[in-house]
Amino acid sequence: NREISIIGAPSDYGQMRRGVDMGPSAIRYADVSERLQALGYEVKDEGDIIVKRPMNNTQLDTNLKNLKEVVEVCTQLSDKVSEVIGQGRFPLVLGGDHSIAIGTLAGLAAHYDNLGVIWYDAHADLNTPATSPSGNIHGMPLAVSIGLGDERLVTIGGPAPKIKPGNIIIIGARSVDPGERDLIREKGIKVYTMHEIDRMGMTRIIEDSIAYLKERKVDGVHLSLDLDGIDPLYTPGVGTPVPGGITYRESHLAMEMLEEEGIITSAEFVEVNPILDERNKTADVAVALMGSLLGEKLV
Ligand code: LYS
């Protein structure tokens, strides 16, 4: 697919640190359109979905913080992603915190019967309101997408579930809550933690992931890349950094291998927070990885 639609989802309602709403601007500032155009793509920037400011009437004293706002944002994003897929274009979604993935996956679910998902992240994002230590919805999108959690979230853009637990591969996990661990075991969700990455190397992880998804006969693969999956040395501008992450080179390798296979049918890059960043370093890494994912070669 040589036609890409960029969709900004400038929401910070999934967590409590302001600033990640500026992620799409920072990524655009890092020349995402130019970089992809240089690869020969027809790139259309669809602009941002509308996220209402300032934050008012929000309920913070709950285990589903800013629920109403998150539902509004994700409903819009779901519609937009669905529209873009309907036009035969490749959706590239820019976050925003990871709660926006609820919307992206809902929009994709309308077009795929057996979608695979690669979740590149330090966290498992498999909390429910019952297990979440924070009440922050950005820790819940994968659980929501397999149909677990609040009714108002799981039914965004269509009936639950949006994806099958067996079609998920988490890569880079190193901060997993007890309830998430239980769910991973119970649902048989495939997880490559940092331990496996150290032990097997990224090459084998991606080879195995591709083989696994093919065996599952997926009809598309969505890449949901949280910049906190990468070590905070390289991507300091994230709200929930965890040391001991995936390196810059390993990440490029992963993107290049996915590109060679031609397996990725949609992508999102989330949690870039320019307020916490150093001279837009994290957005620059995001755009460099998008380059590799979409065909940039060193020589
Ligand atoms: N697992 C933690 C939580 O649920 C952190 C999630 C971070 C997501 N980016 O709050």
Side-chain angles (χ1 to χ4, degrees):
N1 191 343
R2 303 310 290 175
E3 293 165 335
I4 298 175
S5 275
I6 295 175
I7 305 165
S11 171
D12 60 3
Y13 287 120
Q15 43 84 64
M16 296 307 287
R17 274 168 182 265
R18 305 281 72 97
V20 69
D21 56 314
M22 289 180 268
S25 304
I27 293 170
R28 287 193 181 95
Y29 184 82
D31 292 334
V32 57
S33 294
E34 294 78 357
R35 188 109 176 206
L36 302 181
Q37 275 157 3
L39 294 170
Y41 290 97
E42 189 258 294
V43 181
K44 181 173 174 212
D45 191 335
E46 309 271 350
D48 289 341
I49 58 157
I50 295 154
V51 180
K52 284 186 203 148
R53 317 251 137 232
M55 190 157 80
N56 50 16
N57 300 326
T58 57
Q59 261 196 299
L60 298 179
D61 186 23
T62 110
N63 51 5
L64 281 163
K65 290 179 179 147
N66 306 319
L67 175 64
K68 182 170 151 280
E69 289 78 4
V70 172
V71 169
E72 262 182 48
V73 166
C74 290
T75 303
Q76 273 188 72
L77 181 58
S78 166
D79 290 347
K80 190 72 206 175
V81 167
S82 178
E83 180 192 316
V84 163
I85 296 265
Q87 295 165 349
R89 305 179 64 89
F90 180 104
L92 176 61
V93 179
L94 315 179
D97 69 63
H98 221 158
S99 68
I100 65 155
I102 296 170
T104 307
L105 287 169
L108 294 171
H111 299 268
Y112 295 93
D113 294 326
N114 196 30
L115 186 69
V117 176
I118 296 179
W119 200 265
Y120 204 89
D121 200 320
H123 310 90
D125 292 357
L126 279 167
N127 274 305
T128 65
T131 64
S132 172
S134 61
N136 293 331
I137 298 176
H138 78 154
M140 308 182 189
L142 262 184
V144 168
S145 300
I146 59 172
L148 302 175
D150 192 275
E151 196 58 22
R152 288 159 289 186
L153 290 172
V154 299
T155 56
I156 287 172
K162 304 299 192 296
I163 49 175
K164 299 172 187 158
N167 285 6
I168 298 171
I169 303 177
I170 300 174
I171 300 178
R174 54 194 182 278
S175 170
V176 181
D177 298 319
E180 295 182 303
R181 194 169 297 135
D182 294 344
L183 206 56
I184 286 166
R185 292 213 187 103
E186 186 192 318
K187 302 281 178 190
I189 295 172
K190 193 160 192 65
V191 185
Y192 294 109
T193 69
M194 289 314 300
H195 174 86
E196 284 78 34
I197 297 175
D198 292 340
R199 201 153 173 163
M200 299 160 60
M202 188 58 94
T203 302
R204 225 188 97 201
I205 301 245
I206 298 296
E207 284 169 356
D208 286 5
S209 297
I210 291 167
Y212 178 84
L213 290 170
K214 281 187 174 165
E215 209 169 290
R216 301 275 314 173
K217 301 201 184 329
V218 296
D219 53 0
V221 179
H222 176 64
L223 171 69
S224 193
L225 189 146
D226 187 324
L227 272 297
D228 74 25
I230 298 151
D231 194 276
L233 273 172
Y234 311 97
T235 52
V238 298
T240 46
V242 189
I246 307 170
T247 68
Y248 181 76
R249 280 309 322 154
E250 286 170 325
S251 298
H252 271 292
L253 176 65
M255 298 302 115
E256 287 157 355
M257 288 182 71
L258 291 172
E259 197 275 334
E260 276 168 26
E261 192 63 33
I263 199 174
I264 300 297
T265 46
S266 54
E268 74 199 323
F269 285 71
V270 303
E271 298 278 353
V272 173
N273 185 334
I275 296 284
L276 303 171
D277 207 2
E278 298 160 12
R279 295 182 162 267
N280 220 31
K281 196 172 166 180
T282 305
D284 283 336
V285 170
V287 173
L289 293 178
M290 291 173 199
S292 286
L293 179 69
L294 292 160
E296 223 171 66
K297 296 278 183 306
L298 286 170
V299 288

